[in-house]
Amino acid sequence: MSQSGGHNGRITEAIPHITRNEALIFERSSAGKTGAEVAPLDVPPVEAPEVLGKDFYREDIDGFPEVSELEVIRHFTRLSTWNYGIDTGLYPLGSCTMKYNPRINEVVARLDGLATDHPYIPARLAQGCLGILAETARCVAEITGMDAVSLQPAAGAQGELTGLLMIRAYHEDRGERRKYILIPDSAHGTNPASVTTSGYEARSLKSNDRGCVDLAELERAMTPETAGLMLTNPNTLGIFEEQIREVCLRVHHRGGLVYMDGANMNALIGIARPGDFGVDVMHLNLHKTFSTPHGGGGPGSGPVAVKRKLEPYLPTPTIEETGDGFYKLNFDRPKSVGRVRAFYGNFGMAVRALAYMLAYGADGLRQVTEDAVLNANYLRARLSTAYDLAYDAPSMHECVFSDRRQAARGVRTGDIAKRLMDYGFHPYTVSFPLVVPGAMMIEPTESASKAELDAFVDALLAIAQEVKEHPEVVAGAPHSTRLSRLDEATAARKPILRWKPS
Ligand SMILES: *Cc1c(COP(=O)(O)O)cnc(C)c1O
């Protein structure tokens, strides 16, 4: 498909099994059809309301689709082929770390005792599962250089909220009521949202001309009312904060704490540990760096890791060793911020992440990091001939361009991203981070081979050429998909997510 990216809209014809008409035939139901055969009733019939009781019987459900087994199979199989996923091709969505989900993780997560143990079984009967959680937490602590870990948070954003609540509990414990959390202007959108939800007020910190924290700005902003700094490192520009030690020192000097958004640890593992450069609390996304399924593929997991001084505030319960090789759940934690999620967090994700870490081992994980950084820098070097680099600093796990050159010809980052779909690639992250006008944020991860990276670069270079010669082709893309330009706001705000009888 990537070879057929012509200018004449012939792509649709080149793929015979796709017709626009097919997209419209969604409704397959017709009265009387069925995919199942049920034995004749041999008991007296009763009406549903009698069995269920009035309160549970919903009059408003007036029918289910009536379809044959084959129609159901075709329907779902067809829908599955309309998706683009990491199992289909390169998925360079920056800040999302869409890496391969190794199948060994899935095999391990489906093992009997791990997949079927009920979360309510007593701790003494769940020793294997608790051991896995404890081991996962130990690995996370080792990788981050932190002292203690909770695996409860179910997503990165929930890890953020948990960490901020701990910062709050820490200050309040010391009799201090601080009001503000500083956030660099390049921050991920979840950061200010988590700050606000935790009851703090977010104050934006202007980056310097290298896209990093400006020490003089930080100095000015760190008042006695400032509870701490929340930053992403490498930041959302894919740049490592070179003065991170100094940044942490200055925040600590004013009694503040440093929160690091570690959703993107793909450039640090095995090389640098946040705990060593001064971070007090952070979260990790197991569903990014640690290869557990992401997005529609599975629930998330955002463990939060802390230094010793914040340990008393970790969510309850904590999993602790009893000294004789067993584990117990400790609920007796008076300073804890409480429970943030049911049971133990998304247990299956901890299993997958641990399988990933053990399969690679320490050397393998370092290699992952080196390959991810190498891939990002390769893209950065090859693409900078055609696209403007946002900041000229070495890239970590991702690189960020601006559409400045293309915008001069009326083509914006969103158009280029849509044109990439015609070339068979998932788009990069569009218009983020906000500090870069027309941002194109690209994260290849270590999963991409050189051949795949080259094909991606060739596509983006070809698009840059199209922008010069036929800008209208790029501005009108995609031309090869079933639907072209959707009303994205309505699709997001008023999605139709379930079937209703027509
Ligand atoms: C993905 C991401 C988050 C949010 O993680 P979720 O699991 O989607 O809540 C936060 N910060 C950064 C930098 C991220 O890339």
Side-chain angles (χ1 to χ4, degrees):
M1 188 155 136
S2 59
Q3 302 312 315
S4 61
H7 308 136
N8 44 19
R10 270 202 281 118
I11 291 171
T12 313
E13 294 158 38
I15 308 167
H17 66 280
I18 301 172
T19 64
R20 299 213 178 232
N21 197 24
E22 185 192 15
L24 302 175
I25 311 173
F26 189 87
E27 181 56 76
R28 306 271 165 149
S29 176
S30 58
K33 264 192 291 183
T34 174
E37 208 157 325
V38 183
L41 198 63
D42 58 357
V43 291
V46 282
E47 292 298 319
E50 277 174 48
V51 184
L52 294 173
K54 258 212 171 78
D55 290 347
F56 298 107
Y57 182 71
R58 285 173 55 188
E59 299 276 356
D60 59 319
I61 297 179
D62 53 356
F64 290 98
E66 294 181 75
V67 281
S68 72
E69 180 177 316
L70 176 60
E71 280 167 328
V72 173
I73 296 292
R74 283 195 178 149
H75 174 71
F76 287 108
T77 305
R78 187 173 56 250
L79 287 184
S80 76
T81 67
W82 290 4
N83 272 343
Y84 188 103
I86 189 67
D87 293 342
T88 330
L90 185 71
Y91 204 138
L93 202 57
S95 198
C96 287
T97 314
M98 301 304 290
K99 66 167 69 175
Y100 175 57
N101 310 143
R103 290 307 184 265
I104 184 72
N105 299 357
E106 300 303 319
V107 172
V108 174
R110 283 165 177 72
L111 291 178
D112 255 3
L114 303 183
T116 58
D117 266 15
H118 195 280
Y120 270 136
I121 64 171
R124 69 191 159 79
L125 298 178
Q127 287 297 309
C129 295
L130 293 181
I132 283 175
L133 291 171
E135 183 65 17
T136 309
R138 255 196 303 274
C139 289
V140 167
E142 169 68 27
I143 283 170
T144 55
M146 307 297 274
D147 297 317
V149 172
S150 168
L151 299 172
Q152 262 186 45
Q158 201 187 10
E160 291 172 23
L161 178 61
T162 308
L164 288 159
L165 290 175
M166 283 191 268
I167 290 179
R168 194 179 183 89
Y170 168 87
H171 286 306
E172 284 179 1
D173 213 9
R174 297 155 62 96
E176 292 182 15
R177 292 208 163 263
R178 298 185 176 222
K179 285 205 317 228
Y180 307 109
I181 295 279
L182 306 178
I183 303 184
D185 52 10
S186 64
H188 192 269
T190 50
N191 293 180
S194 299
V195 166
T196 307
T197 309
S198 73
Y200 280 121
E201 207 174 297
R203 287 218 162 152
S204 180
L205 203 57
K206 236 172 104 55
S207 304
N208 63 21
D209 56 7
R210 293 172 50 82
C212 292
V213 171
D214 186 318
L215 286 177
E217 280 283 323
L218 175 67
E219 215 38 75
R220 259 195 300 280
M222 270 311 301
T223 68
E225 292 202 295
T226 309
L229 168 72
M230 183 174 200
L231 90 173
T232 305
N233 190 21
N235 63 26
T236 49
L237 295 160
I239 298 172
F240 189 82
E241 294 281 352
E242 283 175 2
Q243 309 203 66
I244 185 68
R245 258 181 204 282
E246 187 61 29
V247 166
C248 294
L249 277 176
R250 295 200 188 189
V251 173
H252 289 155
H253 187 62
R254 301 291 193 88
L257 295 177
V258 178
Y259 185 103
M260 186 178 119
D261 178 338
N264 312 131
M265 275 288 283
N266 234 32
L268 298 191
I269 293 182
I271 299 205
R273 306 197 312 165
D276 297 339
F277 53 65
V279 167
D280 301 296
V281 45
M282 66 181 295
H283 78 272
L284 296 171
N285 279 21
L286 298 188
H287 48 289
K288 288 180 180 166
T289 314
F290 296 92
S291 83
T292 74
H294 196 160
S301 179
V304 58
V306 296
K307 282 294 185 57
R308 197 65 69 199
K309 61 180 171 245
L310 288 172
E311 192 175 5
Y313 312 103
L314 278 175
T316 297
T318 47
I319 298 166
E320 290 169 17
E321 264 181 275
T322 55
D324 49 6
F326 290 94
Y327 296 95
K328 66 166 186 171
L329 295 172
N330 184 1
F331 289 88
D332 183 22
R333 312 188 68 255
K335 293 189 170 187
S336 164
V337 296
R339 206 185 243 294
V340 299
R341 195 186 178 283
F343 306 118
Y344 317 106
N346 281 326
F347 174 70
M349 295 304 139
V351 174
R352 287 171 174 84
L354 184 61
Y356 176 76
M357 291 188 265
L358 295 180
Y360 278 88
D363 292 345
L365 288 176
R366 189 187 162 98
Q367 182 79 47
V368 161
T369 305
E370 288 172 352
D371 290 350
V373 173
L374 179 65
N375 282 356
N377 280 284
Y378 182 68
L379 290 186
R380 177 172 164 276
R382 280 206 65 198
L383 288 172
S384 55
T385 54
Y387 295 92
D388 265 17
L389 266 175
Y391 290 86
D392 192 18
S395 292
M396 293 292 128
H397 58 296
E398 62 196 1
C399 50
V400 182
F401 293 91
S402 155
D403 67 6
R404 210 162 55 94
R405 268 186 247 179
Q406 289 71 30
R409 304 187 64 85
V411 174
R412 304 305 313 264
T413 172
D415 303 321
I416 299 165
K418 286 185 194 302
R419 184 64 176 146
L420 264 178
M421 293 157 72
D422 287 336
Y423 281 83
F425 292 102
H426 193 283
Y428 49 75
T429 294
V430 173
S431 301
F432 181 80
L434 301 175
V435 283
V436 177
M440 308 164 58
M441 184 197 222
I442 305 174
E443 179 179 9
T445 83
E446 72 282 4
S447 303
S449 67
K450 177 164 180 301
E452 205 172 10
L453 293 178
D454 283 333
F456 177 70
V457 168
D458 290 347
L460 270 175
L461 295 182
I463 294 170
Q465 198 57 34
E466 286 176 342
V467 172
K468 288 182 190 156
E469 294 164 8
H470 307 280
E472 71 289 350
V473 171
V474 182
H479 306 285
S480 66
T481 50
R482 285 170 183 78
L483 301 170
S484 184
R485 298 238 161 182
L486 302 176
D487 176 347
E488 289 171 9
T490 305
R493 300 236 164 83
K494 296 183 183 163
I496 301 169
L497 298 176
R498 77 185 174 89
W499 180 88
K500 283 184 188 162
S502 48

